[in-house]
mmCIF file of all heavy atoms in Angstrom:
data_model
loop_
_atom_site.group_PDB
_atom_site.id
_atom_site.type_symbol
_atom_site.label_atom_id
_atom_site.label_comp_id
_atom_site.label_asym_id
_atom_site.label_seq_id
_atom_site.Cartn_x
_atom_site.Cartn_y
_atom_site.Cartn_z
ATOM 1 N N LEU B 828 -46.611 12.473 66.952
ATOM 2 C CA LEU B 828 -46.029 13.373 68.004
ATOM 3 C C LEU B 828 -46.977 13.682 69.034
ATOM 4 O O LEU B 828 -46.721 13.597 70.201
ATOM 5 C CB LEU B 828 -45.475 14.599 67.333
ATOM 6 C CG LEU B 828 -44.483 15.395 68.085
ATOM 7 C CD1 LEU B 828 -43.239 14.584 68.328
ATOM 8 C CD2 LEU B 828 -44.199 16.835 67.576
ATOM 9 N N ALA B 829 -48.160 14.098 68.614
ATOM 10 C CA ALA B 829 -49.322 14.459 69.698
ATOM 11 C C ALA B 829 -49.705 13.242 70.511
ATOM 12 O O ALA B 829 -49.789 13.328 71.607
ATOM 13 C CB ALA B 829 -50.502 15.039 68.892
ATOM 14 N N VAL B 830 -49.799 12.124 69.736
ATOM 15 C CA VAL B 830 -50.134 10.838 70.388
ATOM 16 C C VAL B 830 -49.094 10.512 71.586
ATOM 17 O O VAL B 830 -49.423 10.247 72.633
ATOM 18 C CB VAL B 830 -50.349 9.669 69.536
ATOM 19 C CG1 VAL B 830 -50.429 8.336 70.257
ATOM 20 C CG2 VAL B 830 -51.596 9.875 68.561
ATOM 21 N N ALA B 831 -47.781 10.684 71.232
ATOM 22 C CA ALA B 831 -46.760 10.257 72.102
ATOM 23 C C ALA B 831 -46.805 11.215 73.282
ATOM 24 O O ALA B 831 -46.600 10.738 74.390
ATOM 25 C CB ALA B 831 -45.409 10.375 71.315
ATOM 26 N N SER B 832 -47.067 12.491 73.086
ATOM 27 C CA SER B 832 -47.007 13.401 74.169
ATOM 28 C C SER B 832 -48.190 13.195 75.112
ATOM 29 O O SER B 832 -48.082 13.018 76.234
ATOM 30 C CB SER B 832 -47.195 14.846 73.577
ATOM 31 O OG SER B 832 -46.034 15.159 72.690
ATOM 32 N N ILE B 833 -49.430 12.909 74.496
ATOM 33 C CA ILE B 833 -50.515 12.655 75.318
ATOM 34 C C ILE B 833 -50.292 11.389 76.194
ATOM 35 O O ILE B 833 -50.592 11.344 77.373
ATOM 36 C CB ILE B 833 -51.818 12.567 74.533
ATOM 37 C CG1 ILE B 833 -52.134 13.885 73.792
ATOM 38 C CG2 ILE B 833 -53.056 11.937 75.165
ATOM 39 C CD1 ILE B 833 -53.148 13.718 72.705
ATOM 40 N N VAL B 834 -49.746 10.347 75.543
ATOM 41 C CA VAL B 834 -49.552 9.031 76.199
ATOM 42 C C VAL B 834 -48.590 9.273 77.406
ATOM 43 O O VAL B 834 -48.892 8.892 78.461
ATOM 44 C CB VAL B 834 -48.931 8.053 75.227
ATOM 45 C CG1 VAL B 834 -48.481 6.859 75.908
ATOM 46 C CG2 VAL B 834 -50.057 7.588 74.243
ATOM 47 N N PHE B 835 -47.559 10.006 77.136
ATOM 48 C CA PHE B 835 -46.618 10.289 78.257
ATOM 49 C C PHE B 835 -47.155 10.959 79.326
ATOM 50 O O PHE B 835 -46.993 10.561 80.599
ATOM 51 C CB PHE B 835 -45.352 11.186 77.668
ATOM 52 C CG PHE B 835 -44.382 11.440 78.678
ATOM 53 C CD1 PHE B 835 -43.334 10.795 79.070
ATOM 54 C CD2 PHE B 835 -44.572 12.687 79.420
ATOM 55 C CE1 PHE B 835 -42.379 10.953 79.994
ATOM 56 C CE2 PHE B 835 -43.608 12.975 80.446
ATOM 57 C CZ PHE B 835 -42.550 12.201 80.747
ATOM 58 N N PHE B 836 -47.943 12.126 79.179
ATOM 59 C CA PHE B 836 -48.352 12.875 80.362
ATOM 60 C C PHE B 836 -49.581 12.047 80.997
ATOM 61 O O PHE B 836 -49.682 12.280 82.255
ATOM 62 C CB PHE B 836 -48.822 14.169 79.795
ATOM 63 C CG PHE B 836 -47.677 15.156 79.543
ATOM 64 C CD1 PHE B 836 -47.298 15.411 78.258
ATOM 65 C CD2 PHE B 836 -46.848 15.614 80.616
ATOM 66 C CE1 PHE B 836 -46.214 16.232 77.973
ATOM 67 C CE2 PHE B 836 -45.677 16.321 80.316
ATOM 68 C CZ PHE B 836 -45.444 16.765 79.060
ATOM 69 N N LEU B 837 -50.358 11.467 80.144
ATOM 70 C CA LEU B 837 -51.434 10.678 80.795
ATOM 71 C C LEU B 837 -50.881 9.489 81.800
ATOM 72 O O LEU B 837 -51.277 9.409 82.861
ATOM 73 C CB LEU B 837 -52.244 9.817 79.709
ATOM 74 C CG LEU B 837 -53.491 10.657 79.191
ATOM 75 C CD1 LEU B 837 -54.265 9.739 78.183
ATOM 76 C CD2 LEU B 837 -54.368 11.096 80.260
ATOM 77 N N ILE B 838 -49.802 8.808 81.297
ATOM 78 C CA ILE B 838 -49.199 7.719 82.049
ATOM 79 C C ILE B 838 -48.668 8.363 83.464
ATOM 80 O O ILE B 838 -48.897 7.778 84.482
ATOM 81 C CB ILE B 838 -48.120 7.113 81.396
ATOM 82 C CG1 ILE B 838 -48.565 6.390 80.071
ATOM 83 C CG2 ILE B 838 -47.290 6.133 82.348
ATOM 84 C CD1 ILE B 838 -49.497 5.200 80.385
ATOM 85 N N HIS B 839 -48.019 9.516 83.281
ATOM 86 C CA HIS B 839 -47.428 10.133 84.451
ATOM 87 C C HIS B 839 -48.571 10.810 85.441
ATOM 88 O O HIS B 839 -48.160 11.130 86.605
ATOM 89 C CB HIS B 839 -46.433 11.125 84.149
ATOM 90 C CG HIS B 839 -45.040 10.335 83.706
ATOM 91 N ND1 HIS B 839 -45.031 9.762 82.487
ATOM 92 C CD2 HIS B 839 -44.005 10.264 84.313
ATOM 93 C CE1 HIS B 839 -43.765 9.202 82.482
ATOM 94 N NE2 HIS B 839 -43.108 9.437 83.581
ATOM 95 N N ALA B 840 -49.723 11.063 84.921
ATOM 96 C CA ALA B 840 -50.754 11.643 85.774
ATOM 97 C C ALA B 840 -51.455 10.609 86.658
ATOM 98 O O ALA B 840 -52.054 10.944 87.601
ATOM 99 C CB ALA B 840 -51.721 12.282 84.743
#
Side-chain angles (χ1 to χ4, degrees):
Chain B
L828 191 70
V830 167
S832 303
I833 292 167
V834 166
F835 176 87
F836 287 110
L837 270 182
I838 296 288
H839 283 73

